[in-house]
Amino acid sequence: MATKKAQKDADNLAAVLEKIPQMFGAQASIGQRLHEIIMAANPDLKPRLWYGMPGYAKSGPVLVFIRMDDYVTFGLTEKANILIDEDAPDKLIANAWFLAEPELDEATEARIADIVRAATS
């Protein structure tokens, strides 16, 4: 018999997997691929719905999220381990990215995985 926590994790995963095709529509395969990349980059993450979108956390707050508006968005919350570029000429901190194309290439997948690993370490 599954523990309450294991059952909750399974229910949360099921909710995320159900939400992806609903949210991403015709681009559901991209949403699913982003989910796979995020989970592969840090298998300790637990998916759950966060403000109605797929979010990924360790044991606490959501650190990473994906959503679909006019563009597919991959982002980090303020609770993530955000890397600050001390040499940047401005005071902006990158925490969300739009995908420019309706498909993922190897370089984009690798960068997303690197961001997830850094943000969730």
Side-chain angles (χ1 to χ4, degrees), residues 2-104:
T3 66
K4 280 186 175 184
K5 182 175 178 351
Q7 185 59 53
K8 183 177 179 180
D9 288 347
D11 291 347
N12 284 336
L13 173 60
V16 165
L17 294 177
E18 182 179 323
K19 185 66 172 188
I20 288 172
Q22 293 171 0
M23 177 177 275
F24 286 79
Q27 295 188 39
S29 62
I30 293 174
Q32 182 61 39
R33 185 65 188 131
L34 284 168
H35 169 79
E36 293 165 1
I37 293 165
I38 291 165
M39 294 304 298
N42 187 337
D44 292 334
L45 293 176
K46 306 285 187 221
R48 67 177 188 239
L49 292 181
W50 181 69
Y51 296 107
M53 66 189 103
Y56 302 84
K58 286 185 177 178
S59 60
V62 166
L63 305 172
V64 177
F65 66 89
I66 57 174
R67 73 171 184 250
M68 178 71 192
D69 297 313
D70 290 339
Y71 293 96
V72 174
T73 303
F74 160 74
L76 308 175
T77 72
E78 71 279 1
K79 302 298 184 185
N81 182 28
I82 296 176
L83 302 176
I84 298 172
D85 181 359
E86 300 294 337
D87 296 326
D90 56 53
K91 303 296 181 199
L92 298 173
I93 300 170
N95 75 321
W97 298 263
F98 291 136
L99 293 165
E101 299 292 329
E103 57 190 54
L104 297 170

Side-chain angles (χ1 to χ4, degrees), residues 100-119:
E101 299 292 329
E103 57 190 54
L104 297 170
D105 59 19
E106 249 182 73
T108 303
E109 289 187 4
R111 183 165 179 218
I112 290 168
D114 288 344
I115 292 168
V116 169
R117 280 190 287 275

